[in-house]
């Protein structure tokens, strides 16, 4: 459903950051390049979604570095942000991953609640300036909710920007 989200973001002059698994890059190369073309950001989300803090330092770094290389090879783009799987961070990761580690401030739990209304409510009821809303692009309900969230928050004068724009520019 990523293409639908990219098209809607573009129509609304909104941007987002898509955190990508390395093992999906070649499958979705055209979609990722389209996201970049439309001004969105691509971030690193590990190679195959292993629980990184439970791996050796070598295995953890391989997950991150392999994904960086695959994204660069397929898009020419070098991610600057990394979202650790399960939101799990430890000191080993902080010291050794040479990317901006990003979490979220609003969790829609869209992977758990497949209800558009519940997802929209979780995203919009307590949102404040500077929040990062976590959603996934693999569920149809999430896509439908994303459209409503964008519409609702734009009416409240929120602007949708990439993580890089929000945190480091």
């Amino acid at each position: 459903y990523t293409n639908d989200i990219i098209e809607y973001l573009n129509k609304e002059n909104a941007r987002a950051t898509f955190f990508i698994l390395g093992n999906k890059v070649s499958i979705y190369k055209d979609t990722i390049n389209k996201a970049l073309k439309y001004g969105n950001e691509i971030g690193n989300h590990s190679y195959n979604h292993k629980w990184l803090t439970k791996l050796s330092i070598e295995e953890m770094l391989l997950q991150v570095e392999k994904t960086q290389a695959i994204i660069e090879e397929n898009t020419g783009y070098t991610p600057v942000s990394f979202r650790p799987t399960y939101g799990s961070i430890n000191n080993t990761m902080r010291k050794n991953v040479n990317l901006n580690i990003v979490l979220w401030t609003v969790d829609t739990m869209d992977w758990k609640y497949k209800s558009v209304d519940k997802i929209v409510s979780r995203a919009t009821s307590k949102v404040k300036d500077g929040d990062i809303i976590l959603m996934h692009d693999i569920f149809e309900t999430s896509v439908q909710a994303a459209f409503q969230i964008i519409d609702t928050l734009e009416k409240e004068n929120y602007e949708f920007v990439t993580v890089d724009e929000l945190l480091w520019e």
Side-chain angles (χ1 to χ4, degrees):
Y1 302 105
T2 311
N3 266 310
D4 295 337
I5 295 170
I6 293 167
E7 288 292 337
Y8 199 81
L9 287 166
N10 192 54
K11 180 175 90 67
E12 296 297 317
N13 197 29
R15 304 292 169 257
T17 301
F18 294 87
F19 288 93
I20 309 294
L21 293 173
N23 67 354
K24 303 292 186 197
V25 172
S26 62
I27 299 166
Y28 297 105
K29 176 182 176 178
D30 292 342
T31 301
I32 295 167
N33 279 302
K34 182 178 184 178
L36 289 166
K37 177 183 166 190
Y38 285 3
N40 297 288
E41 178 182 13
I42 300 300
N44 185 322
H45 191 46
S46 83
Y47 183 75
N48 58 359
H49 214 275
K50 289 188 177 178
W51 201 303
L52 301 175
T53 55
K54 296 181 179 184
L55 300 178
S56 70
I57 185 171
E58 294 80 15
E59 291 173 307
M60 179 191 64
L61 289 175
L62 180 63
Q63 287 277 320
V64 175
E65 292 167 1
K66 188 174 181 179
T67 299
Q68 282 293 102
I70 290 169
I71 292 172
E72 290 171 4
E73 178 183 306
N74 282 273
T75 67
Y77 177 82
T78 304
V80 296
S81 298
F82 172 69
R83 182 165 67 84
T85 55
Y86 308 102
S88 184
I89 301 173
N90 61 17
N91 285 332
T92 301
M93 184 182 295
R94 283 188 190 94
K95 290 177 187 173
N96 293 283
V97 172
N98 194 23
L99 295 167
N100 298 318
I101 298 175
V102 176
L103 293 179
W104 54 89
T105 53
V106 176
D107 188 353
T108 63
M109 298 189 76
D110 59 337
W111 56 271
K112 180 177 180 180
Y113 303 116
K114 304 286 192 319
S115 158
V116 172
D117 291 341
K118 189 160 192 134
I119 296 166
V120 171
S121 175
R122 289 184 64 84
T124 60
S125 63
K126 295 179 183 173
V127 72
K128 60 190 180 312
D129 191 37
D131 275 343
I132 297 172
I133 300 172
L134 174 65
M135 296 186 73
H136 299 82
D137 56 4
I138 57 174
F139 308 110
E140 189 173 2
T141 50
S142 298
V143 176
Q144 293 167 2
F147 298 163
Q148 288 184 34
I149 292 164
I150 292 166
D151 290 346
T152 299
L153 294 180
E154 281 183 336
K155 286 176 186 162
E156 295 178 21
N157 293 316
Y158 283 97
E159 183 181 359
F160 288 81
V161 299
T162 66
V163 166
D164 191 43
E165 291 172 296
L166 179 68
L167 299 177
W168 295 286
E169 284 188 3

